[in-house]
């Protein structure tokens, strides 16, 4: 048996990050509140994961306004998309090996 | 979009745990050193994850000897197998939703 976790990316090593990335894979832009509602987690929990992903250039943050209210949206970077697709392929290979 | 991480099990929220469970899904018994070599991690890292999985009745620990040397082996419990299969199904659904 090969090392089943060698190709898995530590950056995506939590459900919250998997959830953020999944949402951004199918939506070009997602704002903070939509992510928070979708994943059913606290502001602080979401913010800490988004910060880490941004620091690793996996996502981009765009700050704007809707009327007077700030509206922060997130998008995947090319690097982020590439790395998450590789992570998913590694997850699929690991899953396949367990069947 | 439904919450992509709702059905994911927090117990399996790390690559090391995914690796341990994958190995135990395809080998009825695996000993500590084989797991450590397979996953290429430190004794302490492996031991802490195994302890948590044991505490949640996901795996069973059997302590034996080979000659004078202790030989600790791990097996999946019925509960562990059931919960990991559900986690894998949830991962597959999440992956499918990103395509």
């Amino acid at each position: 048996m090969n090392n089943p976790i060698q190709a898995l990316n530590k950056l995506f090593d939590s459900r919250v990050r998997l959830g953020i990335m999944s949402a951004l894979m199918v939506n070009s832009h997602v704002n903070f509140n939509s992510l928070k509602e979708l994943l059913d987690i606290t502001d602080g929990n979401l913010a800490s994961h988004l910060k880490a992903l941004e620091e690793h250039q996996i996502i981009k943050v765009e700050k704007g306004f809707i009327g007077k209210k700030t509206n922060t949206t997130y998008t995947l970077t090319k690097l982020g998309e590439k790395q998450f697709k590789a992570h998913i392929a590694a997850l699929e290979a690991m899953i396949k090996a367990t069947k």
Side-chain angles (χ1 to χ4, degrees), chain A:
Chain A
M1 189 179 186
N2 294 326
N3 182 349
I5 64 170
Q6 193 166 13
L8 291 179
N9 188 331
K10 224 180 170 187
L11 263 178
F12 306 127
D13 216 19
S14 94
R15 293 168 311 132
V16 173
R17 297 210 187 163
L18 289 176
I20 291 167
M21 296 302 287
S22 303
L24 289 178
M25 286 287 280
V26 295
N27 301 284
S28 62
H29 287 72
V30 187
N31 73 26
F32 188 90
N33 287 329
S34 314
L35 273 174
K36 198 185 107 177
E37 255 166 61
L38 175 70
L39 302 177
D40 190 21
I41 53 177
T42 64
D43 284 35
N45 191 4
L46 179 57
S48 67
H49 285 290
L50 288 168
K51 188 164 171 269
L53 290 172
E54 190 197 348
E55 280 166 1
H56 288 84
Q57 287 93 38
I58 298 294
I59 60 172
K60 258 184 311 190
V61 185
E62 281 152 22
K63 303 218 176 208
F65 287 89
I66 294 179
K68 285 189 182 138
K69 276 189 79 184
T70 57
N71 181 46
T72 306
T73 56
Y74 302 91
T75 54
L76 272 190
T77 61
K78 280 271 160 262
L79 173 72
E81 188 175 353
K82 197 174 147 229
Q83 289 199 0
F84 190 60
K85 281 183 174 171
H87 182 73
I88 282 184
L91 272 178
E92 286 176 314
M94 185 206 79
I95 289 169
K96 210 169 150 208
T98 66
K99 295 191 173 174

